């Protein structure tokens, strides 16, 4: 098969199959072989690795993954791409294409049935409209995966790695850093795709932690506190938490807890570290 990063080859394929790009499905195909190489290097794949790819498109990343991995499961929602993938990656015995919606499919079951005794990794040039839900699904379900290497919108990647006090720091930063060690790999400009997206992209690697970054009595409570704190960003922590319907404590009780934890009454949620959020979640009710 010819190089799938070549715009000429892509044009021939889409012409042959009468394929039309579907904007609603975030279809921006990668046409830059350097970026492709960086994704593959970051993924650190070998024959003992099973990879799940979300949204293979015409198979550019799928092919490169299959060259190194023991097995690749590629989940594509667009029925028009399935016959194309049969042509572009059909000759690889270690690729299985699944026609389904990655947001609806049972990933846990796929991991258990397809990858016994393999290290499991996720790799994708994600359709941007599903970035947050798919990453939350992968992390919150505690799937048995080592790492996630994904191309996402640059702003979203910046939020994932942001530290307390930075303007990008928010609930997404806390949740991602609770479950993983995020690492920026490279920034990717629009001209690396066909068609070109309107925004810059970033390849990010999320190294899944064996244990979450901090110990909490109840994860549900921890996420409630984080959500309430950032739900009303302009408000002080005391006001954001006492306005929230998630907690029973009065404003004064919340003030006392903050004092005990050495958190100023006037502080906002965006100044708190993950450890402080954990302490707060363990103390509040
Ligand atoms: N991997 C290819 C590449 O790098 O050129 C295509 C990437 S393109 C940004 C995103 C792909 O995800 C498209 O092929 C699109 O049809 C597919 N897609 C969109 N929503 C999906 C979903 N919910 N489940 C699975 N695939 C999806």
């Amino acid at each position: 098969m010819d190089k799938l990063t070549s715009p000429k080859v892509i044009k021939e394929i889409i012409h042959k199959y009468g394929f039309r790009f579907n904007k609603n499905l975030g279809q921006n195909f990668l046409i830059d072989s350097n970026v492709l190489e960086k994704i593959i290097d970051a993924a650190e794949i070998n024959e003992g690795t099973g990879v799940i790819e979300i949204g293979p498109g015409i198979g550019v990343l799928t092919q490169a993954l299959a060259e190194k991995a023991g097995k690749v499961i590629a989940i594509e929602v667009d029925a028009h791409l399935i016959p194309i993938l049969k042509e572009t990656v059909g000759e690889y015995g270690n690729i299985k294409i699944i026609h389904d919606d990655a947001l609806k499919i049972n990933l846990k079951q796929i991991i258990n049935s397809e990858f016994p005794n393999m290290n499991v990794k996720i790799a994708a040039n994600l359709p941007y409209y599903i970035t947050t839900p798919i990453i939350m699904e992968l992390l919150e379900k505690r799937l048995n995966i080592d790492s996630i290497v994904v191309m996402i919108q640059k702003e979203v990647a910046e939020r994932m790695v942001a530290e307390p006090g930075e303007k990008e720091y928010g609930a997404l930063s806390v949740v991602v850093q609770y479950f993983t060690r995020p690492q920026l790999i490279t920034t990717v400009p629009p001209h690396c795709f066909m068609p070109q997206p309107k925004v810059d992209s970033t390849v990010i690697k999320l190294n899944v932690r064996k244990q979450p970054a901090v110990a909490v009595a109840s994860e549900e409570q921890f996420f409630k506190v984080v959500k309430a704190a950032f739900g009303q960003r302009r408000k002080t922590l005391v006001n954001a938490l006492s306005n929230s319907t998630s907690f029973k404590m009065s404003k004064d009780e919340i003030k006392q807890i903050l004092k005990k934890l050495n958190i100023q009454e006037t502080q906002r949620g965006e100044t708190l570290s993950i450890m402080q959020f954990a302490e707060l979640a363990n103390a509040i009710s």
Side-chain angles (χ1 to χ4, degrees):
M1 188 71 223
D2 293 325
K3 261 182 93 174
L4 290 175
T5 44
S6 155
K8 185 171 165 272
V9 172
I10 299 178
K11 277 184 193 145
E12 278 167 14
I13 293 172
I14 62 179
H15 180 73
K16 178 171 168 190
Y17 287 89
F19 177 76
R20 282 163 186 265
F21 289 99
N22 184 338
K23 248 194 190 169
N24 294 334
L25 291 178
Q27 291 178 339
N28 304 98
F29 296 163
L30 186 62
I31 55 168
D32 186 298
S33 49
N34 289 325
V35 175
L36 181 61
E37 211 171 296
K38 282 184 184 160
I39 297 175
I40 297 297
D41 285 351
E44 296 185 287
I45 293 165
N46 58 38
E47 280 182 1
T49 316
V51 185
I52 297 181
E53 186 194 5
I54 294 156
I58 63 163
V60 62
L61 178 57
T62 326
Q63 223 180 45
L65 292 166
E67 294 285 344
K68 300 216 160 170
K71 190 169 182 182
V72 179
I73 303 291
I75 305 164
E76 175 56 62
V77 77
D78 187 350
H80 301 101
L81 287 166
I82 305 302
I84 298 182
L85 284 162
K86 286 210 171 110
E87 175 176 335
T88 56
V89 300
E91 68 198 44
Y92 288 82
N94 61 345
I95 297 178
K96 181 166 168 184
I97 307 290
I98 299 181
H99 174 214
D100 210 332
D101 184 337
L103 288 173
K104 297 195 181 139
I105 202 165
N106 185 339
L107 292 168
K108 193 169 205 159
Q109 197 187 328
I110 291 184
I111 291 173
N112 291 340
S113 60
E114 301 284 350
F115 302 131
N117 306 318
M118 292 179 104
N119 297 321
V120 182
K121 304 198 173 191
I122 309 287
N125 171 11
L126 280 182
Y128 295 160
Y129 79 103
I130 65 168
T131 301
T132 312
I134 199 80
I135 289 187
M136 288 305 123
E137 167 84 7
L138 293 169
L139 298 178
E140 284 173 358
K141 288 255 166 82
R142 294 284 169 84
L143 299 179
N144 189 13
I145 49 180
D146 290 353
S147 64
I148 302 170
V149 175
V150 279
M151 173 102 68
I152 59 178
Q153 204 173 318
K154 186 169 168 238
E155 281 71 25
V156 181
E158 283 166 353
R159 280 163 46 206
M160 288 182 178
V161 298
E163 303 276 346
E166 293 177 355
K167 82 173 188 314
E168 295 83 5
Y169 187 64
L172 186 66
S173 329
V174 176
V175 177
V176 165
Q177 293 170 35
Y178 173 76
F179 288 114
T180 78
R181 288 188 177 79
Q183 182 189 352
L184 297 178
I185 304 296
T186 189
T187 304
V188 186
H191 67 77
C192 295
F193 302 91
M194 191 174 129
Q196 296 191 13
K198 289 202 171 69
V199 293
D200 278 336
S201 306
T202 290
V203 177
I204 190 169
K205 180 171 189 181
L206 307 177
N207 300 286
V208 179
R209 296 173 186 269
K210 295 253 174 308
Q211 297 294 331
V214 289
V216 290
S218 154
E219 229 161 53
E220 195 189 340
Q221 176 79 345
F222 173 68
F223 293 131
K224 265 189 201 163
V225 170
V226 172
K227 215 169 138 198
F230 289 107
Q232 300 186 299
R233 278 188 90 100
R234 301 237 165 126
K235 294 220 155 65
T236 61
L237 209 46
V238 177
N239 286 335
L241 296 176
S242 54
N243 284 349
S244 163
T245 51
S246 297
F247 313 106
K248 296 190 287 285
M249 285 184 163
S250 68
K251 197 166 182 170
D252 279 339
E253 286 170 319
I254 292 174
K255 280 184 184 176
Q256 275 175 20
I257 286 178
L258 293 178
K259 199 168 173 196
K260 251 198 223 157
L261 298 174
N262 281 327
I263 301 170
Q264 307 291 319
E265 255 182 46
T266 50
Q267 264 178 258
R268 292 184 181 160
E270 64 214 39
T271 62
L272 256 56
S273 67
I274 298 186
M275 180 57 92
Q276 285 175 307
F277 273 118
E279 287 169 351
L280 190 52
N282 289 344
I284 205 169
S285 58

